[in-house]
Amino acid sequence: MIKILDNLYYPLYEYLYLFVMVIYMAQMTPETGRMVGVLSGNPIPLLIPIVLTIILLIRNPISFAHNKLWMLVGIMLGWSVAVCYKFHDFSPANLSYCLFLIYAIFIAFIHIRVFGRDLFPIYEHIMVVFSVISLFLWGISVVIPASGAFFHLFPETANGNNFLYLYNWTDPAKNQVYGDLVRNQGCSWEPGRFAIMLIPAILINLSREGMVFRGNKKILILLLALASTMSTTGYSIVCLLYVIFLLTNANPTRVLVFTFILLPLTVFLFSLDFMGNKIQDRANFEGLTRERMKGINYNAKEHGDEYLGSLDRFESAYLEWINFRQEPFLGYSRNTDHSWFKQNISKNLVLTGGLVKILSQYGIFVGVFLYILLFYSSYKIGRASWHQNKFVYAIILLLSSVSYLIFCIPIFTAFWLYGLFCFEEDEIELETLDYLEASDDYEN
């Protein structure tokens, strides 16, 4: 048994299962990206999570006779058939995108029905473990630069070397360096992605412990790991997160803390070069996008269909908005080859931002429906966490989506769909708690 909290222990297999799911969530390598995408490629990384999930279900049988599950599956299957017919593309490659969409829904359903509310503290615990590993190895790489010779013994990644899927060592010669200091990529392919994996864990801790640092080792470890990523997205979201919690039920003490501690700290963070320069440089992203377009034709001629990289989050959001305007009703589907950008601009660059991507991929009707589900789930998670910030989960996932695609990613999808698949028993328990709180208020 693994101790998660003082009053919560979990069997080793169930814990290790979610540990593996977090590794697939991090997508450090193409192999750990096999839970999202297409069927072609190495079959072993594709089969590992499937086999592990089957074993999980044998150990924890659940019923799939759930009306909301089949309603969502029906909606997504209907949308998938419609977009395949629209683009006259029923090829195996295109159909695999539809398959992985349904796959993600079922995996999320299984996670929610097997783990219930325990999914959140277990996820927090796992991210603390990854934070400790990353801080230790990142610290070694900073203090002893010669340690790079050891990490070079492991397989290469886009920005470094893959240490047993537990840590992505940053190669200073490649990328992800701020001044003379390498950024902590954690268990993911780059620092920003690791940062948005840490944010939900920080929120889970805040929901349970409140804004308490003394004796709260987990939050200190998570915040140190986030600091080491030097991620603009991560810093911005965690600052907002603490402001929300600080100003909830504001009292004179909290106002003073905000005025004299949190506000100056936020100003300091945004004055850092990698924060301020990024924000200033992106202010006129339409102009930057036009400049970028001038170079795309040259790149296409020089490199053909070779993958060159991803566009900046703000440029991506702008171009995804154009994608949406071209296909507003059904979207261009999860297959980006059908998008206006791929068809008319470049086949060798990738758009990143997921916030607008949900609308541009799924269209206005399904896209808005998915966002409604996100806010509904955020409300249910807030109640399950017994805090008043019912929509804060939706806010942090939306802000994370500005830079990264989240929907259909393992664990993230379970957070997104939690409200649809959570247990009715939890609702009864929460209604009883609400009644007791109301009774206390009345008595007082």
Side-chain angles (χ1 to χ4, degrees), residues 265-307:
L265 179 61
T266 302
V267 172
F268 167 73
L269 289 175
F270 279 87
S271 69
L272 296 174
D273 289 345
F274 72 90
M275 292 283 288
N277 290 346
K278 271 189 177 181
I279 294 171
Q280 183 178 0
D281 291 345
R282 274 34 173 198
N284 182 22
F285 61 87
E286 289 190 36
L288 290 172
T289 301
R290 295 190 193 98
E291 291 299 317
R292 172 82 74 168
M293 292 302 110
K294 294 178 182 178
I296 285 181
N297 289 335
Y298 170 78
N299 287 330
K301 292 176 183 177
E302 289 293 308
H303 300 277
D305 291 333
E306 178 186 350
Y307 170 71

Side-chain angles (χ1 to χ4, degrees), residues 92-387:
N94 193 57
L95 290 175
S96 68
Y97 285 102
C98 306
L99 174 65
F100 275 95
L101 172 60
I102 305 303
Y103 174 50
I105 293 172
F106 273 99
I107 290 293
F109 178 80
I110 291 167
H111 289 173
I112 295 165
R113 300 304 287 187
V114 169
F115 295 98
R117 285 185 292 174
D118 293 342
L119 176 66
F120 303 105
I122 297 173
Y123 176 77
E124 176 199 3
H125 190 280
I126 291 171
M127 289 311 302
V128 170
V129 172
F130 274 113
S131 296
V132 170
I133 293 171
S134 71
L135 285 170
F136 176 71
L137 296 175
W138 174 77
I140 290 176
S141 66
V142 170
V143 176
I144 311 173
S147 62
F150 167 75
F151 290 107
H152 275 301
L153 298 174
F154 295 89
E156 288 189 10
T157 62
N159 297 313
N161 293 80
N162 164 22
F163 181 75
L164 306 176
Y165 294 100
L166 301 176
Y167 175 68
N168 188 9
W169 174 75
T170 305
D171 188 343
K174 288 187 175 180
N175 204 342
Q176 307 304 341
V177 179
Y178 170 59
D180 295 325
L181 190 63
V182 295
R183 300 170 65 191
N184 184 3
Q185 302 183 97
C187 58
S188 192
W189 81 80
E190 67 105 19
R193 181 67 183 206
F194 184 49
I196 70 161
M197 292 173 64
L198 292 167
I199 293 292
I202 292 170
L203 175 53
I204 291 164
N205 187 280
L206 277 169
S207 300
R208 185 184 65 253
E209 304 289 345
M211 296 182 60
V212 175
F213 295 97
R214 181 178 298 176
N216 190 356
K217 295 179 181 178
K218 289 182 178 179
I219 196 65
L220 296 176
I221 292 169
L222 291 169
L223 289 174
L224 283 173
L226 180 68
S228 66
T229 66
M230 290 170 265
S231 165
T232 307
T233 301
Y235 283 21
S236 302
I237 295 175
V238 82
C239 286
L240 177 63
L241 195 54
Y242 270 88
V243 168
I244 290 172
F245 271 81
L246 189 65
L247 297 183
T248 300
N249 291 331
N251 55 43
T253 301
R254 291 192 171 192
V255 171
L256 287 173
V257 170
F258 173 75
T259 303
F260 294 104
I261 298 178
L262 189 57
L263 187 59
L265 179 61
T266 302
V267 172
F268 167 73
L269 289 175
F270 279 87
S271 69
L272 296 174
D273 289 345
F274 72 90
M275 292 283 288
N277 290 346
K278 271 189 177 181
I279 294 171
Q280 183 178 0
D281 291 345
R282 274 34 173 198
N284 182 22
F285 61 87
E286 289 190 36
L288 290 172
T289 301
R290 295 190 193 98
E291 291 299 317
R292 172 82 74 168
M293 292 302 110
K294 294 178 182 178
I296 285 181
N297 289 335
Y298 170 78
N299 287 330
K301 292 176 183 177
E302 289 293 308
H303 300 277
D305 291 333
E306 178 186 350
Y307 170 71
L308 294 178
S310 303
L311 292 184
D312 177 82
R313 70 202 69 172
F314 293 103
E315 294 172 315
S316 294
Y318 176 71
L319 292 167
E320 284 289 4
W321 177 249
I322 299 177
N323 280 337
F324 170 69
R325 289 168 57 189
Q326 298 300 313
E327 304 287 350
F329 298 111
L330 286 176
Y332 63 77
S333 80
R334 296 186 66 237
N335 186 350
T336 57
D337 288 342
H338 295 149
S339 68
W340 168 86
F341 179 79
K342 288 282 189 178
Q343 293 287 332
N344 296 279
I345 304 299
S346 175
K347 295 184 182 297
N348 49 18
L349 289 168
V350 173
L351 303 182
T352 54
L355 182 59
V356 184
K357 206 179 194 78
I358 290 290
L359 294 176
S360 60
Q361 285 190 327
Y362 295 94
I364 186 69
F365 301 111
V366 175
V368 169
F369 173 66
L370 290 176
Y371 281 130
I372 291 173
L373 290 183
L374 173 60
F375 277 90
Y376 181 62
S377 294
S378 181
Y379 174 77
K380 290 296 186 71
I381 293 170
R383 296 193 67 199
S385 304
W386 297 308
H387 65 77

Side-chain angles (χ1 to χ4, degrees), residues 38-110:
V38 295
L39 289 170
S40 59
N42 185 355
I44 302 301
L46 176 66
L47 291 173
I48 287 175
I50 295 174
V51 172
L52 293 178
T53 302
I54 292 172
I55 296 173
L56 180 75
L57 290 175
I58 292 172
R59 291 171 56 90
N60 304 271
I62 63 172
S63 172
F64 287 91
H66 194 285
N67 291 337
K68 292 178 181 178
L69 168 65
W70 296 107
M71 176 201 72
L72 182 60
V73 168
I75 290 172
M76 290 307 182
L77 279 176
W79 170 80
S80 298
V81 171
V83 293
C84 287
Y85 180 80
K86 174 183 178 179
F87 292 108
H88 306 289
D89 188 354
F90 289 90
S91 64
N94 193 57
L95 290 175
S96 68
Y97 285 102
C98 306
L99 174 65
F100 275 95
L101 172 60
I102 305 303
Y103 174 50
I105 293 172
F106 273 99
I107 290 293
F109 178 80
I110 291 167

